[in-house]
Amino acid sequence: MRKTAVYLSTSCLLLVAGAGFAIERGLAHSTTRAARSAAVTELAEALKLAAKHPGAFGAAGLAPGESALKALAQDMATQRGLSIGFLSESEREAERGRQERQVIVRLVHPAHGSLVRFLGDLEAQGGGAKIKEIHVRPSTTRADHYEEAEVVVARVTTMLKP
């Protein structure tokens, strides 16, 4: 009888310890889930704010009237692991008192996916810049790559009259 009591008490003790461990893990999971949910909400709000004011965030943020397209193109290409073969920036007067700033970027051996993400980043963070032209030459040796891709990015601004 005494052996049975020892086994029974040991079993009950293990059952209580297992229940305590399960409760503690459940509480930790609940806390972690709440913290993750709060972080996701804060990130979404920060992304909305960054989209409304693209020039105020990051190294590409400049004072009004300055152009960051060339620097932005370099930064985005570096982030995406793309090699730049040629990079040029020009400015010209457009119709009705507007000014157009163009950046020509020639990428060497870009992968298709990286090129598409690069173009999306340029438009999203370019402060009103649009992809004006894309010229690609498919690779004959590697699938899903290009020999070179030339991208023309343009941003039109209104010129201020003195």
Side-chain angles (χ1 to χ4, degrees):
M1 176 82 175
R2 201 158 198 238
K3 257 186 173 180
T4 309
V6 170
Y7 290 139
L8 191 57
S9 62
T10 305
S11 301
C12 288
L13 184 62
L14 289 175
L15 184 65
V16 168
F21 179 76
I23 289 171
E24 188 272 331
R25 289 288 82 208
L27 291 174
H29 177 70
S30 173
T31 304
T32 304
R33 185 177 32 204
R36 180 186 179 279
S37 175
V40 167
T41 303
E42 290 176 9
L43 179 61
E45 291 172 1
L47 289 174
K48 287 178 187 175
L49 183 61
K52 286 182 183 176
H53 308 285
F57 296 92
L62 296 173
E66 295 184 38
S67 174
L69 284 178
K70 190 173 179 181
L72 179 67
Q74 285 178 316
D75 291 344
M76 293 296 117
T78 302
Q79 288 177 5
R80 295 289 174 199
L82 299 171
S83 299
I84 296 178
F86 176 77
L87 181 61
S88 168
E89 185 173 27
S90 63
E91 193 172 318
R92 71 176 185 92
E93 289 185 21
E95 68 280 345
R96 296 189 297 253
R98 294 182 180 192
Q99 195 171 18
E100 181 180 56
R101 184 173 295 267
Q102 286 187 346
V103 172
I104 300 172
V105 183
R106 187 172 300 137
L107 303 169
V108 181
H109 301 290
H112 177 75
S114 296
L115 178 63
V116 170
R117 287 187 291 279
F118 171 73
L119 296 174
D121 289 344
L122 280 178
E123 280 199 345
Q125 298 179 20
K130 300 292 179 198
I131 305 300
K132 192 171 182 181
E133 297 177 25
I134 303 171
H135 303 277
V136 293
R137 195 171 76 210
S139 176
T140 56
T141 58
R142 294 172 26 181
D144 200 30
H145 280 73
Y146 301 103
E147 288 293 324
E148 70 177 22
E150 185 173 283
V151 179
V152 179
V153 183
R155 179 171 49 204
V156 178
T157 57
T158 305
M159 292 177 20
L160 299 174
K161 294 183 182 180

